[in-house]
């Protein structure tokens, strides 16, 4: 209904400039949403994956080869498993929050695209009506000249 009202009242409204969806959406983000986006961006990067793999290899080498019998987390690496589980338990919901926010942004973008398409269609129809009126006027003028 709201889109229909906008469609019908569009010729009577004056719109200054087109607003940037990304800027408009980013301006309304809370600190938690910005933090979730950063965690998702860092956690999903090759740099993080590489650094994390190096950390895991370093942990393993430190607790097996370097420290040997005095290792603070011997071979089954139970403490490391606990830390990884806690990291996954925290990181997964944060990434899901970021994905939900991105999905909301995508829905807003789709709605704005739809409204833009409606405005473009209305403008095209108005132009077609004007072209038809000009053609009709020209054809009437040509008939009057032929009779004279």
């Amino acid at each position: 209904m709201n889109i229909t009202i906008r469609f019908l009242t569009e010729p009577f409204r004056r719109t200054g400039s087109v607003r940037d969806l990304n800027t408009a959406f980013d301006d309304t983000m809370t600190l938690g949403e910005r933090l979730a986006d950063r965690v998702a961006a860092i956690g999903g990067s090759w740099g993080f994956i590489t650094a994390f793999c190096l950390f895991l290899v370093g942990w393993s080498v430190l607790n097996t080869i370097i420290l040997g019998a005095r290792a603070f987390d011997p071979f089954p690496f139970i403490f490391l498993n606990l830390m990884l589980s806690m990291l996954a338990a925290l990181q997964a919901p944060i990434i899901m929050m970021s994905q939900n926010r991105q999905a909301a942004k995508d829905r807003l973008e789709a709605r704005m695209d739809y409204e833009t398409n409606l405005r473009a269609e209305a403008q095209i129809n108005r132009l077609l009506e004007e072209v038809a009126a000009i053609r009709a006027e020209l054809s009437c003028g040509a008939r009057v000249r032929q009779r004279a």
Side-chain angles (χ1 to χ4, degrees):
M1 180 69 180
N2 193 14
I3 294 173
T4 305
I5 292 171
R6 286 185 192 173
F7 176 74
L8 294 174
T9 60
E10 180 62 30
F12 305 111
R13 282 191 290 159
R14 292 179 187 241
T15 54
S17 62
V18 178
R19 66 181 177 156
D20 182 18
L21 171 69
N22 293 319
T23 305
F25 202 82
D26 291 345
D27 289 344
T28 62
M29 285 178 34
T30 64
L31 176 64
E33 290 171 335
R34 286 193 300 269
L35 182 63
D37 282 352
R38 287 300 301 153
V39 168
I42 292 169
S45 68
W46 281 108
F48 176 80
I49 292 170
T50 304
F52 204 67
C53 286
L54 290 174
F55 171 76
L56 294 176
V57 168
W59 184 282
S60 301
V61 168
L62 178 69
N63 282 293
T64 55
I65 298 172
I66 297 174
L67 295 178
R70 297 177 305 171
F72 59 89
D73 189 19
F75 169 64
F77 306 122
I78 294 172
F79 182 66
L80 177 63
N81 284 327
L82 174 66
M83 291 297 124
L84 292 175
S85 296
M86 289 187 340
L87 176 68
L90 289 174
Q91 194 176 20
I94 291 172
I95 290 173
M96 289 174 60
M97 286 187 318
S98 177
Q99 288 175 341
N100 288 339
R101 195 193 61 71
Q102 185 63 41
K105 185 177 180 180
D106 291 342
R107 283 191 299 274
L108 177 62
E109 185 176 8
R111 192 180 88 218
M112 289 179 71
D113 286 346
Y114 178 71
E115 290 175 5
T116 300
N117 290 341
L118 282 177
R119 283 192 302 272
E121 183 180 1
Q123 290 173 350
I124 289 170
N125 285 336
R126 191 174 62 228
L127 288 173
L128 286 174
E129 289 170 2
E130 289 177 13
V131 167
I134 291 171
R135 274 191 181 157
E137 203 173 296
L138 288 175
S139 66
C140 286
R143 286 187 203 136
V144 169
R145 277 187 237 135
Q146 285 176 353
R147 290 181 187 168

